Amino acid sequence: MTHTEDPPRQPSLPIVENLSRRAAVKGGFATLGAAAFVAAISPLRHAAKNSSAAEFMQQHYKELSPEGKAAVIARLESEAKENYGAEVTIADDRPIPGTKFVYAINLSVCNGNGKCVEACHKENNHDRSTNQSYIRVIEMPKGTMDMEQGTTTYTGAVPKDDKFYLPVQCQQCDEPPCVDVCPVKATWKEEDGIVVVDYNWCIGCRYCEAACPYHARRFNWKQPEVPAEQVNPDQSYLSNRIRPAGVVEKCTYCLHRTRRGKLPACLEACPTGARVFGNILDPQSSIRWILENKRVYILKEELGTKPAFFYYFD
Amino acid sequence: MHDSVYILGRKWNLVLDRKLKHRFANLLFASVVGVIATIVVSAAWRSPRKFGESPPLAVAQSPQNRPGQSSKNRPGRAPFLVTVNQPLGPPMIELVGTDPQGRSGSVACSTCHSVRPADLSNRTPETLDEFHRGLTVDHGKIACYACHHLENADALRLADGTTVEYENVMTLCSQCHGPQATAFAHGAHGGMNGHWDLSRGPQHKNNCIDCHDPHSPSYPKMIVGFKPRDRFLDSAHAPSNETRDSTPSETTDDAH
Ligand code: SF4
Ligand code: SF4
């Protein structure tokens, strides 16, 4: 069951007498308006059907007391059991003091094979039917860093001679436009640089999705389908727990792993070793060495979003 | 930081009497002593570790690689090591066929190469009369014996003649591929898994020949597998969600 409404078809201008034309246009708009309204509240209706009173009354993540959080997490764990038949543990991983996470990708090495895309899909309990993932790998013509000129639907043997490959996921911007536009403050930037979403507070207005210049946010059109045996049980509240329908989700640099000191899933899956991840505040870190020794690029620098995500060639 | 301390200090001065001030000075003195003690202890703790034995290819990421900066390293930071995959010892040749007992066997390089004279001019399989003729060699113009040892067929040799065991093949590669070796040492070349934070767990890295066949080292092409069914990008030329699976594409997917 999807909530994809067909985009309302543009009514061709009726060529009729003035008076009836006006009526026709009015009627048309009224119909359109009603249809749009129904479509707009449909995720809401869906949500209302499935949610307990407790969920509806839940406070914003930042306002929850430790006991409140524990209760919410217990509820979410039992919901995962009920709806997915999976035993999961949902942790509340907080930033490690003194860390600021930064990612870098060596574009000379990346060959566009897409293993990272798949790893993200599995790690983050994405909907199986749509192959959802937080990462897109863009096949780019050589000679430009303008991601809008690339395509994501390439297939076959890679790398192709006249192309390079640009993996794009949330850039964990230091000036995140997605955070600024959220009308209910359901998304914010944490101390280690990760931009998170409280999936239970998000109202699904998708402003943030529109505001993100990197197409990094995803809207859950429906309740994700994940077979019980494929559910990743190692979850975190702000990260890879199974998200409800009708909310926006995004890459969290795998905070359920990285805040426990581990490398992100996409990095471990990368067979070419193109990905480098680390704490930029540590002068000895790999990421620091790259920033100090390689010529690095950021995407859409002119927008002033200040990504914590760098690309380099060597 | 300094402002707040200053402000704090000013406020305190207004309310503090002499006795309290005295106590504050004592506290300050105690903390200075504490800091000095910490520095001494940590220095003492670090020094044996610096010269400690580590397994041949296991490198604790930072200090060993950059000796000049080891003092910057905070004590207690890296109890876990970065380990690098090691290839198994000298390669063995699998024999075709079995012995009278039905066992298949494998032989070491030295089985043949200890009785055959080395031909220094061999660079490609084309000049070989027998054996190794199916090998693909596409590694510059170097001769077999640029890397393989002349006298000891079960080992490798550096350009200066030093013997290197097969397990330490990275030492050999690094002679020519310096920039890659440098990048590797700084975590910027080569796949890895485990932990970015060595105070919480170890990290494990590939070695050169995990990804690069020494005889034909360029990274092979791969087939794109998994693809998200992206609703928004390329909607003009992407097949729709429903038809995607049944549409025969011009190339094959290796997934599933
Ligand atoms: S990349 Fe997009 S979603 Fe991520 S922080 Fe920046 S604006 Fe927000
Ligand atoms: S979709 Fe959710 S997170 Fe995004 S702007 Fe709307 S409420 Fe905020």
Side-chain angles (χ1 to χ4, degrees):
Chain A
M1 168 191 46
T2 58
H3 294 283
T4 56
E5 67 274 20
D6 283 327
R9 197 175 298 151
Q10 210 62 45
S12 52
L13 277 183
I15 308 165
V16 282
E17 305 314 328
N18 242 348
L19 186 75
S20 52
R21 178 188 159 182
R22 207 193 209 172
V25 168
K26 249 173 137 179
F29 275 127
T31 319
L32 265 180
F37 180 72
V38 170
I41 66 161
S42 86
L44 253 185
R45 279 188 300 150
H46 181 70
K49 222 178 358 185
N50 287 345
S51 67
S52 57
E55 183 178 343
F56 196 71
M57 301 301 286
Q58 183 185 320
Q59 281 172 300
H60 190 284
Y61 172 83
K62 285 189 180 168
E63 279 161 13
L64 283 169
S65 64
E67 303 78 50
K69 263 187 201 170
V72 166
I73 283 173
R75 193 189 76 228
L76 291 169
E77 283 173 351
S78 73
E79 276 175 14
K81 178 85 194 137
E82 196 178 307
N83 301 335
Y84 290 88
E87 296 283 354
V88 307
T89 29
I90 302 178
D92 177 35
D93 294 289
R94 301 305 304 143
I96 303 169
T99 38
K100 161 101 165 91
F101 288 133
V102 166
Y103 220 131
I105 294 188
N106 186 345
L107 297 179
S108 310
V109 170
C110 173
N111 66 6
N113 64 70
K115 293 284 180 213
C116 51
V117 182
E118 183 176 11
C120 173
H121 175 77
K122 291 182 174 153
E123 179 71 27
N124 289 300
N125 293 312
H126 280 293
D127 178 41
R128 293 302 188 256
S129 67
T130 48
N131 281 7
Q132 183 67 282
S133 174
Y134 296 140
I135 306 175
R136 286 191 185 94
V137 182
I138 307 180
E139 186 176 71
M140 298 280 294
K142 282 189 172 160
T144 176
M145 281 294 279
D146 174 11
M147 60 183 271
E148 308 295 341
Q149 292 190 33
T151 131
T152 63
T153 52
Y154 64 92
T155 51
V158 286
K160 301 200 176 76
D161 289 341
D162 51 345
K163 305 283 195 223
F164 76 96
Y165 297 84
L166 182 71
V168 179
Q169 63 210 77
C170 175
Q171 314 270 304
Q172 315 296 354
C173 308
D174 281 348
E175 299 287 346
C178 58
V179 167
D180 294 342
V181 297
C182 180
V184 295
K185 293 195 164 49
T187 181
W188 66 93
K189 190 175 177 70
E190 302 223 300
E191 301 88 81
D192 55 2
I194 299 177
V195 174
V196 294
V197 181
D198 181 350
Y199 308 111
N200 281 50
W201 197 256
C202 170
I203 56 172
C205 68
R206 303 176 64 198
Y207 284 6
C208 54
E209 194 185 343
C212 170
Y214 307 99
H215 313 295
R217 290 187 169 236
R218 306 280 185 280
F219 184 67
N220 254 342
W221 287 92
K222 60 186 184 68
Q223 190 62 43
E225 287 166 28
V226 191
E229 69 282 4
Q230 290 179 21
V231 169
N232 175 4
D234 244 340
Q235 306 183 357
S236 194
Y237 180 89
L238 292 172
S239 184
N240 63 337
R241 67 170 164 113
I242 303 177
R243 283 78 58 194
V247 304
V248 162
E249 55 185 40
K250 64 180 284 298
C251 164
T252 61
Y253 278 180
C254 278
L255 67 79
H256 57 284
R257 298 170 59 97
T258 51
R259 284 184 181 169
R260 301 175 200 169
K262 289 158 85 184
L263 290 161
C266 47
L267 185 148
E268 288 199 340
C270 177
T272 66
R275 291 173 167 261
V276 184
F277 178 85
N279 174 18
I280 199 179
L281 300 182
D282 175 3
Q284 304 291 317
S285 63
S286 327
I287 204 82
R288 215 21 200 270
W289 184 82
I290 286 168
L291 295 187
E292 284 164 4
N293 291 281
K294 303 284 178 187
R295 182 166 169 200
V296 295
Y297 300 78
I298 55 175
L299 293 183
K300 302 194 183 186
E301 185 175 8
E302 68 282 5
L303 298 180
T305 49
K306 304 211 178 93
F309 205 109
F310 297 88
Y311 298 92
Y312 65 103
F313 295 89
D314 68 2
Chain B
M1 192 69 191
H2 288 290
D3 288 339
S4 69
V5 167
Y6 177 63
I7 291 165
L8 214 67
R10 273 222 322 220
K11 277 189 188 157
W12 278 86
N13 279 340
L14 293 177
V15 290
L16 279 181
D17 61 21
R18 278 179 85 90
K19 214 163 139 196
L20 266 176
K21 267 188 196 163
H22 233 93
R23 238 177 241 174
F24 191 64
N26 278 344
L27 250 172
L28 208 79
F29 177 71
S31 55
V32 167
V33 169
V35 167
I36 290 172
T38 316
I39 290 170
V40 169
V41 167
S42 68
W45 177 80
R46 203 193 296 140
S47 48
R49 194 170 142 266
K50 207 159 138 191
F51 303 109
E53 280 283 301
S54 60
L57 269 175
V59 282
Q61 184 87 350
S62 334
Q64 274 94 335
N65 290 344
R66 283 194 276 179
Q69 297 188 15
S70 63
S71 62
K72 262 197 212 165
N73 210 33
R74 281 165 286 154
R77 199 187 107 64
F80 292 95
L81 290 179
V82 178
T83 53
V84 181
N85 227 359
Q86 272 199 321
L88 289 176
M92 303 289 278
I93 305 293
E94 295 296 327
L95 296 179
V96 186
T98 51
D99 69 3
Q101 280 73 40
R103 293 170 301 196
S104 58
S106 54
V107 293
C109 307
S110 53
T111 310
C112 304
H113 284 280
S114 55
V115 294
R116 298 171 72 96
D119 181 353
L120 292 178
S121 66
N122 276 332
R123 285 161 197 274
T124 60
E126 282 81 65
T127 58
L128 300 174
D129 313 320
E130 45 178 355
F131 298 114
H132 307 314
R133 291 168 77 186
L135 206 65
T136 308
V137 179
D138 184 13
H139 194 163
K141 292 198 164 55
I142 54 177
C144 304
Y145 287 103
C147 304
H148 291 283
H149 204 285
L150 278 168
E151 287 95 37
N152 178 2
D154 294 326
L156 301 165
R157 71 186 272 270
L158 300 185
D160 65 0
T162 318
T163 305
V164 175
E165 299 305 325
Y166 270 96
E167 291 91 324
N168 303 328
V169 61
M170 288 186 66
T171 315
L172 181 88
C173 306
S174 306
Q175 296 179 107
C176 301
H177 305 283
Q180 286 83 353
T182 307
F184 181 91
H186 292 100
H189 185 111
M192 62 178 84
N193 55 45
H195 292 73
W196 64 267
D197 183 352
L198 295 179
S199 70
R200 287 162 194 257
Q203 193 184 95
H204 190 72
K205 289 162 84 168
N206 290 334
N207 81 76
C208 306
I209 70 169
D210 283 332
C211 302
H212 303 285
D213 177 342
H215 296 124
S216 180
S218 69
Y219 199 86
K221 281 201 191 295
M222 291 175 73
I223 302 288
V224 183
F226 186 90
K227 277 270 167 197
R229 296 182 183 141
D230 209 308
R231 298 166 47 87
F232 300 109
L233 290 184
D234 305 323
S235 48
H237 27 119
S240 76
N241 291 352
E242 288 70 32
T243 56
R244 185 164 186 116
D245 288 329
S246 52
T247 311
S249 53
E250 72 275 37
T251 41
T252 41
D253 278 10
D254 80 336
H256 327 300

